[in-house]
Amino acid sequence: MSDKVMIVTGGSRGIGAATAKLAAVRGYVVCVNYLSNRTAADGVVEEITAAGGRALAVAADVSQEPDVMELFATVDGRLGRLSALVNNAGILERQSRVDEIDGDRLQRVLAANVVGPFLCCREAVRRMSTRHGGRGGAIVNVSSAAARLGSPGEYVDYAASKGAVDTLTIGLSREVAAEGVRVNGVRPGYIHTDIHASGGEPGRVERLRTSLPMQRGGQPHEVAQAILWLLSAEASYVTGSFIDAAGGK
Ligand code: NAP
């Protein structure tokens, strides 16, 4: 069993997949969690394995408590003692104004983007914290520049969910700072992934790129680098902090 064991929620595609692959290069055994796209998750695992790493794909809906319990129990049994968690899974829905959003959508977005990270943080702390007999660890919550900008006319519900993720990061980081657990956040800007298609505009990053100081969207691996740094020993005195990986916006 390795002493570097990581769960990446939503590790099958986009930023999560880039994070899982980079983590394997850095010596982590990686649990690639996914919701339903088994082919994509298996593809990430195969790529890691082909490069000499070790990974396991595990399906779980992070918004559902029984799924989260099973996900962490599977990692306990198959991979070993958890040392790192990346709360990356997240969703957004069709671009809308607040006066068009119905209650079911609010429940879905907040369940996936807020309840999910809370449940996963809880399970991680139960395993990592010295208060619970653990050996410490690190958590990175993937938020969004939307938490600062609010996403008017697109998805204020999503932006608000990321505001909650930032508050979770600050509060939990202080709660467990003396227990060997660091908790930080990364706020990506416009990154080339599938998520923009869920909003109804697959070409959104290209449309908006000239509004960015760097004049280009980001690549998933550029966010993964920030996540891996925050999890590493190089960030040993960093907790409750955020890296904005947003091209200057
Ligand atoms: P993506 O390409 O749409 O991938 C989403 C991933 O999350 C997939 O692996 C998906 O699994 C998984 N997922 C979705 N709901 C889940 C659930 N309930 N339980 C478990 N897994 C679930 O997304 P992305 O753009 O890489 O985004 C990753 C994170 O970065 C999100 O938190 C997002 O809000 C944040 N972010 C992205 C951007 C951007 O521009 N892309 C900007 C700021 C922040 P399946 O493959 O099985 O569907």
Side-chain angles (χ1 to χ4, degrees), residues 6 10 27 49 66 68 73 82 97 103 134 147 160 166 175 218 229 235 238:
M6 180 186 295
T49 309
V68 171
L82 186 72
R97 289 167 45 97
D166 285 0
E175 208 166 88
W229 181 77
V238 179

Side-chain angles (χ1 to χ4, degrees), residues 166 169-174 182-185 237-242:
D166 285 0
T169 302
I170 293 165
L172 182 62
S173 70
R174 293 175 182 174
R182 296 184 302 103
V183 187
N184 290 291
Y237 200 53
V238 179
T239 198
S241 285
F242 298 89

